[in-house]
Amino acid sequence: LAYGSPISDMVINLRPARGVEVKVRDGTSGKPVRNVTAAELVNGHRGIVMSLSLDQNGGGFIPSAIAGSSLSFWAMGYVPLTINDWNGQGLEVTLEGQSAR
């Protein structure tokens, strides 16, 4: 956003955006996973961390502004999954359960 100075009576209207759709499923049963944590990875370190409460179909939204970053998804009882260099398109994430030890 570029502007000159002085400015009087400038109004910038913003509208909310839902973001990009993500669907998360269990890798064995195919059932939706309802609670997931997603994190943007910047140079191998966590940036933005999001706790996602997904709908009954395992669907929710993540910000499109983090496109180009790597993303890590994890949930209790599942192995974390990393998606490198996310292209900003909708995601179908399949999480695999942790093996019993």
Side-chain angles (χ1 to χ4, degrees):
L1 177 63
Y3 61 90
S5 183
I7 297 177
S8 61
D9 299 327
M10 179 194 288
V11 175
I12 299 174
N13 294 313
L14 302 176
R15 60 185 159 112
R18 291 178 16 176
V20 178
E21 186 174 27
V22 60
K23 289 187 178 181
V24 184
R25 301 215 172 270
D26 178 285
T28 302
S29 69
K31 291 183 179 179
V33 177
R34 298 288 303 269
N35 295 296
V36 176
T37 302
E40 171 193 34
L41 300 176
V42 180
N43 297 323
H45 299 285
R46 289 185 186 158
I48 297 170
V49 178
M50 300 158 278
S51 179
L52 305 174
S53 294
L54 305 174
D55 66 18
Q56 68 273 11
N57 298 313
F61 297 90
I62 57 176
S64 60
I66 59 176
S69 299
S70 293
L71 302 177
S72 180
F73 290 88
W74 67 93
M76 185 169 294
Y78 293 94
V79 176
L81 174 72
T82 299
I83 298 169
N84 293 310
D85 303 319
W86 175 52
N87 64 6
Q89 299 297 309
L91 289 171
E92 296 274 342
V93 176
T94 302
L95 295 178
E96 299 297 331
Q98 294 176 336
S99 301
R101 295 180 189 229

